[in-house]
Amino acid sequence: GVDVVDLDGNKSMDISGSYGVNVCGYEKYKEFIEEGWSSAKKQGLFLGSLDKTVLDNIAMLREVSGQPEVSFHMSGTEAVMCAVRVARFNTNRKLCVTFGGAYHGWWDGMQPVAGNDRLPDDVLCLKDMSPLSLKVLEARKGEIAAVLVNPLQCFHLNQSPPSDPVLSTNNRAIGPTPGYKEWLHKLRAVCTACGIVLVFDEVYTGFRLHARGAQGAYDVKADIVCYGKTLGGGLPIGVVCGPKNLMARGDARRAARINYVIGTFAGHPFVMACMNAFLRWLKKPETLKSYEAMSQNIEAFIKKANAAFEEKGYPIRLTNWFSVWSILYTTPGRYHWMFQYYLKDAGVNLSWVGTGRLLFSLEWQKADYDRLVERMLVACENMKQGGWWEPPVANIKMCLLKEIGGAVVRNLMGSGASS
C-alpha cells in the first residue's frame, strides 16, 4: 500500500514520492520489475541490440511524445544533456535559455546557481512568465539554440524548489500559477517564429500531471521532450524524443562533423523490459480513469484538511498542483521547520526537503487520504503543545537592532575614551 517500513520497523505513510519517481504506487512498480525480469533474464547482459521489446517501446514513446525519434539514456540528467547537445549541434548556436529557479539536472553545463562552481557562460537565465523574456528571445534569436522549460516551475514560479532547510518563517510562496498554460502557448509561438528549439524537461512531470505529461496537461507541443524517473518502471532511465532534423548526430554536409552522444548501458534489456511493462499499463483505459480519480481525491483531501486546520487554529494550509503539494504556514514563526519531525513522529514519511514538496501516487485511495489527515492533526497538536507555535512575546527584529545598536555605541564610546 502507501505505507513504508524503515530498518527499525517503523511504519509510515509515504508522501516523499521517492524523489518524484513514484507515480503509480510502490506495489505497481514491483509488478513492472517482476514482469520485466521474467522477460529480460533470458537475454542477460546483451547491449546494443534492437529487439522486439525496444521497438515496441519506441512505438509507444512516439505516441506519448508526438515525436518520431527516440534516444535512450541512463538518467534524467543524461537525457537533458543529450537534448541540449543535439539542439546546439543541429542549430549551430551556442546559447540555451532556462528560467529562474528551474532544475535541469546536476551537471555543470546547465546549473548556473548554488551547487555549481563552474558558472556556464552559454546559458541565459530569464524570468518565467515575463513579456521581457520573450523580447530577449526575439532580439537574440540568432544566438539561442534552445529554451528549456521545467513545467514544475508553475508551482513555484521563478524560485528554487521549496524546502524546510531554508524555511525562515511563513515566507514560503508556492502554489499553481494562474495563466501558466497561456504563457506556454505564447512561448511556443515565439520559439516557432524565431526558429528556437523548445525543450520540455519532463523528467519530473512526465506521467505525473497527465498520461502525456505537461504536453497533454497544457495542450502544447514541444520540439524535444526529455523523460526519466517513473518511465523506467522502477529502474533508472532517461529518454529524449524529437524530430529527425533535431536529433541528428551527424552533419550531412560535413562528414567529419559529428555529435558524440552515446551511453554503454543505454537500452539495457532489463530496463527496456520494465519500461515496456509501464508503457503498456499506461495505455489501459482504467489507468487513464485513475488519474481522474486521483485528482478528485486530492481536491477533497485539500479541502477537508484545510477546514480542519482552520477550525482548530493550526497555522498551516495545504496547496497543490496536480499530485504535487506543499504545506504553507499562515503566521510568522521561527520554528515551522520543526513540523516535519512531528509529522515523522506521527507516522508520515517525508523526503529531505521536509514539508516543502510532497507527492501522492495513483495508489492512494480515499481511506488513505483520510488517514493522512488524522496523522497530520496529531502532528499539529503535538507541535502546538510543545510550544513551537506560540506567538512571539517580543519583536525579534527590534530586539536584535537594539542589541546591535547598543554594542556599536559602546564600542564607539570605548574607542573614544581610549584615544
Side-chain angles (χ1 to χ4, degrees), residues 45-48 72 74 78 262-269:
L45 181 66
F46 183 66
L47 304 174
F72 296 111
M74 286 304 294
E78 273 194 34
I262 60 171
T264 301
F265 286 98
H268 190 284

Side-chain angles (χ1 to χ4, degrees), residues 15-300:
I15 54 175
S16 73
S18 288
Y19 309 107
V21 174
N22 185 16
V23 172
C24 314
Y26 292 122
E27 296 305 314
K28 186 61 64 176
Y29 292 102
K30 293 177 185 178
E31 293 178 17
F32 297 152
I33 292 171
E34 288 176 1
E35 186 177 338
W37 177 242
S38 67
S39 170
K41 65 182 180 181
K42 302 170 186 175
Q43 292 178 267
L45 181 66
F46 183 66
L47 304 174
S49 65
L50 280 176
D51 61 12
K52 186 181 182 302
T53 301
V54 176
L55 294 175
D56 194 25
N57 287 348
I58 290 172
M60 288 187 284
L61 286 167
R62 283 172 171 170
E63 290 182 29
V64 170
S65 67
Q67 296 292 351
E69 298 278 318
V70 178
S71 177
F72 296 111
H73 307 275
M74 286 304 294
S75 71
T77 293
E78 273 194 34
V80 176
M81 291 170 72
C82 168
V84 169
R85 178 168 280 200
V86 297
R88 283 174 170 154
F89 179 81
N90 290 298
T91 60
N92 206 20
R93 300 172 193 163
K94 182 178 74 170
L95 294 180
C96 283
V97 168
T98 62
F99 293 106
Y103 181 73
H104 296 288
W106 56 263
W107 62 300
D108 63 359
M110 198 53 61
Q111 191 189 356
V113 290
N116 183 10
D117 281 343
R118 187 188 74 83
L119 296 180
D121 59 4
D122 49 10
V123 176
L124 296 177
C125 190
L126 302 180
K127 189 175 182 180
D128 219 341
M129 290 189 70
S130 169
L132 185 58
S133 296
L134 299 180
K135 295 295 183 184
V136 172
L137 298 182
E138 292 170 340
R140 304 190 66 176
K141 61 184 179 182
E143 306 170 73
I144 299 173
V147 171
L148 275 73
V149 172
N150 183 343
L152 185 60
Q153 290 305 112
C154 175
F155 197 45
H156 42 83
L157 201 71
N158 293 306
Q159 300 178 73
S160 297
S163 65
D164 285 347
V166 295
L167 182 65
S168 57
T169 180
N170 63 325
N171 56 352
R172 176 176 288 164
I174 190 171
T177 306
Y180 191 72
K181 177 179 179 178
E182 291 74 15
W183 159 253
L184 289 180
H185 281 263
K186 289 179 183 178
L187 183 62
R188 169 70 279 178
V190 170
C191 286
T192 299
C194 296
I196 297 172
V197 180
L198 179 60
V199 179
F200 270 19
D201 179 351
E202 295 245 46
V203 171
Y204 197 101
T205 58
F207 314 105
R208 178 165 290 282
L209 312 188
H210 185 278
R212 294 189 59 245
Q215 288 194 113
Y218 292 115
D219 191 26
V220 59
K221 187 176 182 180
D223 296 310
I224 294 177
V225 191
C226 302
Y227 299 107
K229 294 191 183 290
T230 196
L231 177 57
L235 296 187
I237 189 62
V239 167
V240 181
C241 301
K244 186 174 182 179
N245 64 306
L246 292 177
M247 296 285 281
R249 307 299 208 269
D251 191 332
R253 293 168 296 182
R254 296 164 57 189
R257 183 173 179 259
I258 59 173
N259 191 26
Y260 203 65
V261 181
I262 60 171
T264 301
F265 286 98
H268 190 284
F270 191 17
V271 177
M272 291 295 102
C274 294
M275 181 197 297
N276 189 264
F278 168 80
L279 287 171
R280 285 188 287 104
W281 167 84
L282 187 69
K283 295 179 67 175
K284 294 179 179 179
E286 54 266 35
T287 300
L288 301 179
K289 290 180 181 178
S290 68
Y291 278 91
E292 299 174 9
M294 179 173 67
S295 177
Q296 294 170 2
N297 282 330
I298 292 175
E299 183 179 355

Side-chain angles (χ1 to χ4, degrees), residues 310-333:
E310 184 176 2
E311 178 186 352
K312 295 182 178 296
Y314 299 138
I316 65 172
R317 181 173 64 85
L318 310 184
T319 184
N320 77 292
W321 177 70
F322 297 92
S323 59
V324 185
W325 57 292
S326 183
I327 298 177
L328 300 172
Y329 298 90
T330 57
T331 60

Side-chain angles (χ1 to χ4, degrees), residues 329-376:
Y329 298 90
T330 57
T331 60
R334 300 175 65 190
Y335 304 104
H336 292 320
W337 59 271
M338 292 184 63
F339 186 52
Q340 61 181 309
Y341 300 108
Y342 280 94
L343 282 170
K344 291 181 179 181
D345 191 56
V348 181
N349 181 59
L350 300 85
S351 70
W352 69 272
V353 299
T355 62
R357 183 190 291 167
L358 310 166
L359 297 168
F360 288 126
S361 72
L362 293 166
E363 190 175 27
W364 282 66
Q365 303 299 317
K366 184 180 182 302
D368 299 315
Y369 291 103
D370 291 342
R371 188 158 54 103
L372 178 60
V373 172
E374 294 172 3
R375 295 193 179 188
M376 293 185 75

Side-chain angles (χ1 to χ4, degrees), residues 314 342 345-346 377-388:
Y314 299 138
Y342 280 94
D345 191 56
L377 289 173
V378 169
C380 285
E381 184 59 26
N382 290 338
M383 180 86 169
K384 184 176 181 179
Q385 292 300 321
W388 302 112

